[in-house]
Amino acid sequence: MSASHDLDRGTAHQPAVWHLPHARNEYFSGREDELADLRKSLVSHDALRHVQAVWGLGGVGKTQLALEYVYRHKGNYNIVWWMGADEPSNLALTFARLATKLGMEVPEGTPLEDIRQAVRRSLNQREDWLLVFDNAASVEELRPYLPNERRGHVIITSRNPNWDQIARPFALRPLKRVESVDFLMKRTGKRKVDSAVGALAQALGDLPLALDQAGACISQTRTDFGGYLRQFELHWGELLRDVRQTGDYPDSVQMTWELACRQVQDESPRAYDLMSLLAYVGCDAVPRELLRGAEGLPEGLSDIVSDEALMEQAIQTLANYALIRDEGITTSMHRLVGNLVRDRLAEGQQRMWADGAVKLLADVFKFDSQDLASWDYCATLLPHALASTFHAEANRVAPRATVDVLENAGRYLAKRAQFEEARGLFERALALATDFYGETHPRVSAIANNLGRMHRQIGNLEEAKACFQRSLSIDHEVYGDTDPHAASVFNNLGIAMHESGDAKAAQQHFERALQVFEKTYGADHPKIAHVVNNLGYVLIGNGDLEAARTHFDRAMEVARMTYGDSHPILASIMVNQGIVFRTMGEAAAAKGMFEKALEIHEAVHGETHPSVSRDCSNLGLSLQEMGMREPALEQFERALKIDRALYGEQNVSVAARLAQLGRLLLEMDNEPAARRCFIRSKAIEEACAGAKASQS
């Protein structure tokens, strides 16, 4: 953003696109020099300074500085998007939601990678945006999300100082003493400054988080600065002996929290129980709805969550001691507070709360791919699902519930095309299920099948086949080979066989799956359309075009009966049938199929979807074979434009489109233009091959 877009635009303006999960800190004070420095760098004419990485130790106030900057300068932006960056899969989902807010068409099933690239390209075209990545771990995790042009602004908060490759590192130090004193006065509402205020600030290391905690305790217990300082010093040695150290933050921060936790434990055991549960379900933005009416929680807490007034009272108690932030529909706890709460619990209590947290998530985290409403709810609960399973595994509790949550989270991420992340969850679920249920249990079979699908999606075909074979061996022992689940695995194994070049084995597996599905469901079930389509695709490769044509006709008939005349599944089968027609020399019939598929995909996905690009390419080939070169040129150019917008210039798909266009231009006697296409195509292929080699 240029310097002209500075404070003269005011702060009353609310950005049109706005995602900020935290309210403004009413007690924020000081940091004027840091805020001015941050602003000066972000509006600099040097684009490299448009990405600022605020780093420092835990408790120094990195997030609060970024938050205050956003609220002060929101009038300078039309887009403000805040993202928690500590969990990669959740970061990807939050970034993807920005696409919808920007007005982009995001059809069901669009890979998150495609959405991410599209959002970056959109931001590259404008300069009115601010992205905040809170608690980021490393350059490698964040780089894929940064727009290349750096025309807008980015703030990163992190404990890691090593950001020179992509940002200007901005070291945040403890507050100046005068700022610490001002903060304590403001936080406690006291007017009289005495010598104990400065002494307390010094004891707390001038760290904002420790100061905030101490100020909350002073205000809540109606003590004075000297009284709190005496209590702090009195318990210092005892706390250092008795409290387990995590190493995540200075002792002074831990001491202030420990004193607050003790106060809450004495004043309201119910509130303390609620805080213990929050520490095990993922501290940030825990939905109230997740807590209300939860069953199976330890006695005492179950009374709170079933009574609205009691729960609000417990939340208010914790907020009064600054142990949580009450944000209305959500409740947040600083991650370091969560560490302390878990650390100070006895081993038996740790196991109890880890057990309760993962069972709570298992009751509500249910992913149904057919129910789009469950997608949004799962996106909200995902960080809490991941946190609860982590703590459950660490404490060796609730394996059944943990497996359920891991599997649902894996299925959800797979549907969002986060295949690597889903693979990791399925691997954890499989190991836990095998240990809990035994090697030959049906749950193990189901998870092994899902894991195989993820391996196949990321190209690990041998690992995929091994997973499918493991699943089939269990199904054979438990159900026999005529069970529908076994048939689904046969179908998945057939796809992996075909992709690895064993068309004969693939055909056998598809035929076996088809036989079971027909016997179980009849001839018109949706599963029939899928497996018949797969079988037809194999038959194309075998050269049996008539048989492939028959199979695609049947698949289209079943798909029409199930989904109607305008579903993308039907369009995909039409594309395959069109390929058969082209191969058989029936270009006009192929053209008709591709045109119908294109019409469906445009209506469902919009005009810039990858499926539309493929349809345009196939349609162009048919038109070219019919001698209709100008219309073919139009389709090839459209496909190239879509792929460039989707993937950027350095992509193998763009190289293929350029080569396709070059061949047509040669036919049209435009040799100079054809040569340019071929040269550019080859350069892209070489660049992509070099990049792939450097990563291996």
Side-chain angles (χ1 to χ4, degrees), residues 565-632:
D565 291 327
S566 56
H567 197 279
I569 289 177
L570 176 64
S572 296
I573 303 170
M574 286 178 169
V575 170
N576 288 337
Q577 185 70 294
I579 293 172
V580 170
F581 285 145
R582 270 197 60 235
T583 309
M584 297 177 73
E586 300 178 25
K591 171 177 171 290
M593 285 291 170
F594 296 139
E595 286 174 337
K596 291 177 183 176
L598 178 59
E599 181 181 347
I600 294 171
H601 282 140
E602 284 179 326
V604 174
H605 298 311
E607 297 187 350
T608 59
H609 193 268
S611 295
V612 173
S613 171
R614 289 190 290 269
D615 294 343
C616 289
S617 175
N618 280 312
L619 178 56
L621 289 170
S622 294
L623 292 167
Q624 183 178 1
E625 290 169 1
M626 296 172 68
M628 303 171 67
R629 291 168 179 162
E630 288 295 338

Side-chain angles (χ1 to χ4, degrees), residues 124-435:
N124 279 336
Q125 305 304 313
R126 53 197 302 171
E127 59 177 26
D128 57 347
W129 50 266
L130 169 65
L131 304 180
V132 181
F133 297 92
D134 189 30
N135 199 37
S138 67
V139 169
E140 291 71 23
E141 289 184 2
L142 221 55
R143 193 195 299 273
Y145 296 94
L146 298 180
N148 296 327
E149 298 298 326
R150 311 286 174 88
R151 301 181 68 190
H153 298 165
V154 177
I155 298 176
I156 301 164
T157 73
S158 177
R159 290 189 228 174
N160 179 4
N162 301 310
W163 293 95
D164 305 72
Q165 297 178 44
I166 61 172
R168 175 213 176 202
F170 185 106
L172 191 62
R173 310 300 182 190
L175 291 172
K176 300 170 185 174
R177 183 61 44 78
V178 65
E179 293 176 331
S180 297
V181 170
D182 287 345
F183 177 85
L184 282 171
M185 298 300 295
K186 184 176 181 180
R187 184 68 176 85
T188 59
K190 296 184 182 296
R191 297 182 179 180
K192 183 179 179 180
V193 179
D194 59 50
S195 59
V197 185
L200 178 58
Q202 180 179 12
L204 297 175
D206 297 303
L207 286 164
L209 206 54
L211 294 164
D212 185 52
Q213 191 70 70
C217 279
I218 291 169
S219 177
Q220 184 66 15
T221 58
R222 295 180 172 84
T223 187
D224 57 20
F225 295 115
Y228 184 87
L229 179 58
R230 286 190 294 273
Q231 183 184 21
F232 186 84
E233 292 172 339
L234 177 66
H235 289 289
W236 182 270
E238 173 195 345
L239 296 177
L240 285 180
R241 284 195 311 272
D242 296 343
V243 179
R244 291 181 292 277
Q245 302 291 308
T246 67
D248 287 337
Y249 41 85
D251 290 338
S252 61
V253 177
Q254 184 160 355
M255 296 308 107
T256 57
W257 286 333
E258 176 64 23
L259 291 173
C261 285
R262 290 186 178 197
Q263 194 73 35
V264 169
Q265 198 168 11
D266 291 340
E267 181 180 320
S268 176
R270 286 174 171 171
Y272 186 78
D273 284 347
L274 178 60
M275 181 173 64
S276 299
L277 177 66
L278 291 172
Y280 282 90
V281 296
C283 300
D284 203 40
V286 179
R288 286 278 217 287
E289 196 61 36
L290 173 62
L291 303 174
R292 289 193 180 102
E295 299 178 355
L297 296 175
E299 186 178 356
L301 185 57
S302 57
D303 296 337
I304 295 177
V305 298
S306 60
D307 186 309
E308 186 78 17
L310 287 177
M311 186 164 77
E312 292 304 318
Q313 183 180 350
I315 287 173
Q316 189 58 51
T317 298
L318 296 174
N320 288 343
Y321 281 95
L323 289 166
I324 65 167
R325 294 190 306 274
D326 179 17
E327 293 163 340
I329 61 174
T330 64
T331 299
S332 294
M333 176 190 293
H334 195 286
R335 61 185 65 87
L336 300 185
V337 176
N339 289 348
L340 172 65
V341 170
R342 292 189 297 272
D343 278 357
R344 74 190 307 273
L345 291 171
E347 184 176 341
Q349 291 177 310
Q350 291 181 1
R351 291 172 58 84
M352 178 182 73
W353 290 114
D355 181 275
V358 77
K359 287 179 178 176
L360 171 62
L361 267 298
D363 286 340
V364 296
F365 192 79
K366 308 287 187 182
F367 177 60
D368 180 357
S369 61
Q370 303 302 315
D371 179 11
L372 294 183
S374 79
W375 289 45
D376 289 339
Y377 194 47
C378 285
T380 300
L381 292 183
L382 181 65
H384 310 296
L386 298 179
S388 71
T389 56
F390 172 82
H391 295 304
E393 288 183 276
N395 286 275
R396 300 176 180 270
V397 297
R400 187 191 303 273
T402 306
V403 168
D404 289 347
V405 176
L406 286 170
E407 186 179 26
N408 273 289
R411 291 175 52 245
Y412 170 67
L413 290 177
K415 198 67 177 179
R416 298 307 304 262
Q418 290 184 259
F419 302 124
E420 283 284 4
E421 292 84 353
R423 180 185 69 166
L425 296 182
F426 286 134
E427 286 175 340
R428 288 166 58 191
L430 183 60
L432 195 57
T434 302
D435 185 58

Side-chain angles (χ1 to χ4, degrees), residues 666-682:
L666 272 182
E667 285 188 15
M668 299 173 72
D669 296 325
N670 191 345
E671 186 175 339
R675 184 183 300 110
R676 288 193 295 271
C677 287
F678 291 138
I679 291 173
R680 184 63 191 140
S681 175
K682 184 177 181 181

